Amino acid sequence: MRQILLPALTLAAAFPTTAEAQENSPEKMEQGESPAAGGVPEKPEASEDADADTTVDRLTLTLGATLVTSYISRGLVFAAEASVQPSARLSVAAPELDTGPVSDVSFHVGTWNNIKIEPTPEGVDPDDFNRFYEDDVYAGIAFQLGEDWSVSATYYRYGSISGAFASYNDFELIVTYDDTKLWGNNPPLKNFKLSPSLRSVQEGSRPNRRDALYLQPSITPSFDVDLGATSVHVAVPLMLGLSDHYYDGREGGTYTFGYFRTGVQFSGKPAPDTLPGLTLSAGADLWIPNTKVASGIDGHHFVGSIGISWTH
């Protein structure tokens, strides 16, 4: 549950870099989404001092925060107010588990939060915990299957310090295909790829209703744009939200189709030489819901985001 973005397109020109976030390609965490949208973590880079056998640090820590104009996830509005979404993720590489077609095995744990920053409604104590809408923890495994497939399986525990909703679980599987080689040596744009992906999420112990299965097929055309000696990664997510009974109708019943989402996202490293772990991102999303679904969105809705992350 989660997704967001804000029209800070000028930031894209202000910083030079390449993209996870969650960029918003399937390999990274999607804007405004909880880690559930995250997919396979980035592989740690080899140390320049490594020998011929190339060793890498097993631990990768990523800290980040995203400012969003509203919090939408899976096509439903969870917080209409502007929010900040801090997160932390620790990934541990397990090369000893690489075998046969399986490689780049890693385990990950983390936390993701949504904190409202706009004024609270009249009559609500702003000093209370009501701003802390969502507080999640998760753990899972990610690996490469063959040369072109990435797989991530993650368990999530969704909670709310403010009591905005009762806690429940999600079990997520993301499979992504790397289509880079299909474009040969002369892709239409630099580092162009479509990154077709399928995300499935099975709810567990959801209070007061049947646990739903959510499916999110997507492609994310992406490419790099050079700005002097640096570059900006550009991604255009195209995705559908589908479910057996996650989408309640405005007049009763449920619907399979929940929404279509697109937009544009920029990410890059403003100081790749001095601060290689720093990534900035910005973007704008357009949500087009099934108007028969009680999504909290009327017609369509734009969401903006701007974020920062540090990986070590």
Side-chain angles (χ1 to χ4, degrees):
M1 326 173 355
R2 35 239 132 197
Q3 273 160 320
I4 28 267
L5 318 130
L6 106 52
L9 305 185
T10 53
L11 180 63
F15 65 79
T17 52
T18 64
E20 82 177 6
Q22 130 68 337
E23 156 271 306
N24 227 359
S25 84
E27 302 90 24
K28 319 268 187 188
M29 181 184 302
E30 300 179 8
Q31 291 178 326
E33 284 268 355
S34 77
V40 180
E42 295 185 68
K43 292 178 277 190
E45 297 181 2
S47 167
E48 294 181 0
D49 298 327
D51 16 84
D53 292 333
T54 312
T55 59
V56 298
D57 293 334
R58 290 199 174 205
L59 299 181
T60 301
L61 176 64
T62 300
L63 303 176
T66 302
L67 174 65
V68 300
T69 56
S70 56
Y71 170 25
I72 299 179
S73 175
R74 302 183 199 172
L76 304 184
V77 176
F78 287 95
E81 304 92 339
S83 301
V84 61
Q85 297 172 334
S87 62
R89 179 178 184 131
L90 178 65
S91 180
V92 182
E96 61 274 8
L97 297 183
D98 293 355
T99 176
V102 177
S103 61
D104 297 326
V105 180
S106 66
F107 296 94
H108 52 267
V109 296
T111 180
W112 185 95
N113 308 269
N114 188 90
I115 304 170
K116 300 177 183 180
I117 58 176
E118 287 190 359
T120 54
E122 184 177 354
V124 176
D125 184 357
D127 296 325
D128 207 348
F129 284 103
N130 62 80
R131 293 185 185 274
F132 291 80
Y133 177 82
E134 187 170 335
D135 313 281
D136 308 336
V137 293
Y138 62 93
I141 183 173
F143 56 90
Q144 191 81 11
L145 189 61
E147 296 182 356
D148 306 316
W149 296 91
S150 298
V151 180
S152 175
T154 307
Y155 161 81
Y156 293 88
R157 179 64 175 176
Y158 299 139
S160 175
I161 294 177
S162 65
F165 59 88
S167 299
Y168 66 100
N169 311 311
D170 263 0
F171 301 90
E172 174 198 77
L173 179 67
I174 299 177
V175 179
T176 304
Y177 176 69
D178 183 354
D179 60 307
T180 304
K181 66 182 182 183
L182 299 183
W183 303 99
N185 297 324
N186 297 297
L189 296 166
K190 183 179 178 182
N191 295 329
F192 177 82
K193 60 180 178 179
L194 296 177
S195 302
S197 178
L198 178 63
R199 173 187 174 203
S200 63
V201 182
Q202 176 62 60
E203 293 181 334
S205 303
R206 184 71 182 263
N208 304 319
R209 80 164 198 212
R210 293 172 56 195
D211 293 330
L213 172 64
Y214 169 78
L215 297 177
Q216 179 186 288
S218 67
I219 61 171
T220 306
S222 64
F223 55 91
D224 292 340
V225 176
D226 291 333
L227 293 178
T230 58
S231 65
V232 169
H233 188 74
V234 182
V236 181
L238 302 167
M239 61 184 64
L240 299 174
L242 309 171
S243 180
D244 50 4
H245 47 262
Y246 184 77
Y247 296 110
D248 295 323
R250 294 178 183 270
E251 299 180 1
T254 59
Y255 290 85
T256 299
F257 170 65
Y259 71 91
F260 169 73
R261 173 193 164 205
T262 186
V264 61
Q265 300 162 2
F266 305 90
S267 61
K269 300 181 182 301
D273 296 327
T274 57
L275 296 172
L278 179 65
T279 298
L280 301 181
S281 62
D285 263 355
L286 170 62
W287 295 82
I288 303 175
N290 179 346
T291 55
K292 295 181 180 180
V293 170
S295 63
I297 303 174
D298 294 324
H300 64 275
H301 190 77
F302 281 99
V303 184
S305 72
I306 183 170
I308 183 172
S309 68
W310 175 265
T311 298
H312 178 71

